[in-house]
Amino acid sequence: FPAAVNQGMAIARGQQLLLLNNDTIVTTGWLTRMLEVLNTDPQVGLVGPVSNCVSGPQQVPVSYDDLSAIDGFAWNWGKQHHQERYSLERLVGFCLLIRRETYEAVGGLDERFGIGNFEDDDYCVRARAAGYKVVVAVDSFVHHFGHRSFLASDLDFGALLEENRVKFEEKWASQANGTMATHTLPPPQIGGLKAIVVPEGGLELQEIRPKISLCMIVRDNETTIGPCLESIRPWVDEIIVVDTGSHDSTPQICKSLGAQVYFWPWQDSFSAARNESLRYATGEWIFWMDSDDTIPESCGRALQQLVRQPIPLQTLGFVMQVHCPGPSHDGGRNVTVVDHIKLFRNRPELRFEFRIHEQILPAIRRVGGEVQFTDIYVVHSGSDHSEAGKARKLIRDFALLEKDLQERPEHPFVLFNLGMTCCDCGRHREAVDYLNRCLAVSTPAESHVRKAYAFLLSSLYALSQHHEGNTIAQTALQLFPNDKELLFRAAMLAHSQGNLEEARSFYCQTLDSQQSKDFSSVDVDISGYKARHNLAIVYADMQKFDLAKATWEHILRDWPDYKVAKDAIAEINQREHLIKSLQ
C-alpha cells in the first residue's frame, strides 16, 4: 500500500496532495473546509477530517443510519462546528491532505509497512519532526466504512496490525540518534516513548512512561462510570476510555474525571474494543476494569505499591479477583469470585483474544511469560439481575459465541464458554455436549478445565444423570483433589444416590481443604454456609441429629437471620421433645 501511494504522489503536480481511501463517501464542503485549515497557517502540514469510523479522536458520534442521510448530517455538523480545529499528534491516513512543501521535506510513506497500518502514524511523526503541525478540521466530515480492502483480502488484520506496530517502535528506537530536520514542536508520543527533538539534530527517545495506564471500554454507562473512575483515579497515572457508541452522558463524565476518551464503533468483539484502548496507553503496565467495577481504597493502594517494587522480567501479568455480588436482596451472600489477569505489561504482543470472555493469558503464555497471584480485587456490582436484563445479555452472549465458534471451531475455550452459558441458562443437554467436547480437546493444565468439570457435573445433576456424574467426578478429583467446587458437586451427586458417608466426606473436605492458587470462578459460599446447609441435611438423613443441629447452629453464628437453619433446629428440638415425652 505505501509503495502504491508513493507512485501516485511521485507523479502528482498539485500544490496539495490528498490521500483518500476507496471505502469513503465525501460530503458537501469537506475539501473546502480542509483547505481552509491548510491555507490559514503555513506551519500546518497535514490536515484530516472527522469521521464515523476511525481510531482516535477523529471519530465522532453520528445520528444517521442510512447512506442517503450522510450529506445532511455532515452539513449540520459543519455548521455546528464551523472553523473548529485542533492539533493532534497523529492523523489517520484514510483521508489525509498534505501540503506540497511538507511532502518535499518529508518524502513519501515508509514502504517497510507493506500492506498497510502504521505508515500514517509514521508519516505524522516525520512531519512533526520537520516542524509541521498536524491538524484536524472538525467541521469537515467524511464517511468511512473501514478496513474494506483488508476484509476483502481475507487477511489477519490483527496480526498485521501488531507486526507493523513492532516495526514502528523498532524504527524509532533505531533512529533515536538520527539526523532528521528539527524545529521547535510539541514532542510526539511514540508508543510508550517520547521522541524529543534535540538541538544537535535528530530525535532522542526518552522513557517517559507512567507506571499504570487504566484502559476501559464503555457504552451508555452513565449510572456506573462515575463511581468506577472515582475509585481508581488516585491509583493510576492515566485513564484511557474507548467509547463504543454511547447515547448518554458517559463520554462527558469520563472526560470530567480526567480520562482520555476515544470513539470507536462496536465490532462485535470485546477483545477488539479492549485492544483498541491499549493502542493509546503509554504506561509500563496496563490495568483494566469494567465500567461497573469499583476498587476498594486498600486494593488501589496495593495496586500502586505493586508496580513500584522490583518485578522479575519474566512476570508479565498479575492475577486479581473480581467479586461479583448476587442480587441485592441476598443480603451480601452468593458472591462469586472470578480470577482475572487484571494487570499486565504494556507490550505489543500482549493483546486480548476471543469476542467474549476475552483473555490475555494465551498471549502471555505464547511468549513464555509468567503470572503471579495477588490478593487485590475489584467489586463488579453493576450487573442487571432483572429477568429482562439477563435475557438481553444471553441473546448478546450467544450471538458472539456463535461467531467465535465459526472462527475457531472446536477451540476448547470457545466450547467451554458455550457450555458455561448453556448451563447458566438451563440448557443442560447442550451444556453437556459442549463441555464434553471441550474436555476432549483440552489438557489439564489449561485454566478453564477445572471449571469445565464443575459445570459438567452441575448439568448432569440437573439432568438426573447421577451415575455418569459420579464417574466424571472421580476423574475430576483425581486431577484436582482439593478443588472446593468439584468436591461440592461430587457431594451433591453422592447424596442424590444415597451414598451418605461419601457425601459427608466430600462436604467436610469442601469446608476443610485449602484451595490451591489456580484460576477459578467460584461461589465463595459453597465452602461456607451452602456446604454446611447440605451437610446438615446429610447428617439428618444419617439419623445423626446432634451433628445436624450443631451444623445448623454453626451457620447461625455467621448468619443469625438464616430462617432455614432456625426452622431445621426447631424441627430437631420438637423431635427430641417428642422422643423424651414417649420415654
Side-chain angles (χ1 to χ4, degrees), residues 445-461:
E446 292 178 78
S447 60
H448 61 268
V449 170
R450 291 169 178 261
K451 193 66 179 181
Y453 274 117
F455 278 123
L456 180 56
L457 295 179
S458 179
S459 285
L460 290 172
Y461 180 85

Side-chain angles (χ1 to χ4, degrees), residues 556-573:
L556 288 174
R557 285 199 293 274
D558 296 327
W559 189 357
D561 296 328
Y562 191 47
K563 187 175 183 301
V564 176
K566 291 180 178 180
D567 291 345
I569 290 173
E571 186 177 335
I572 292 173
N573 288 339

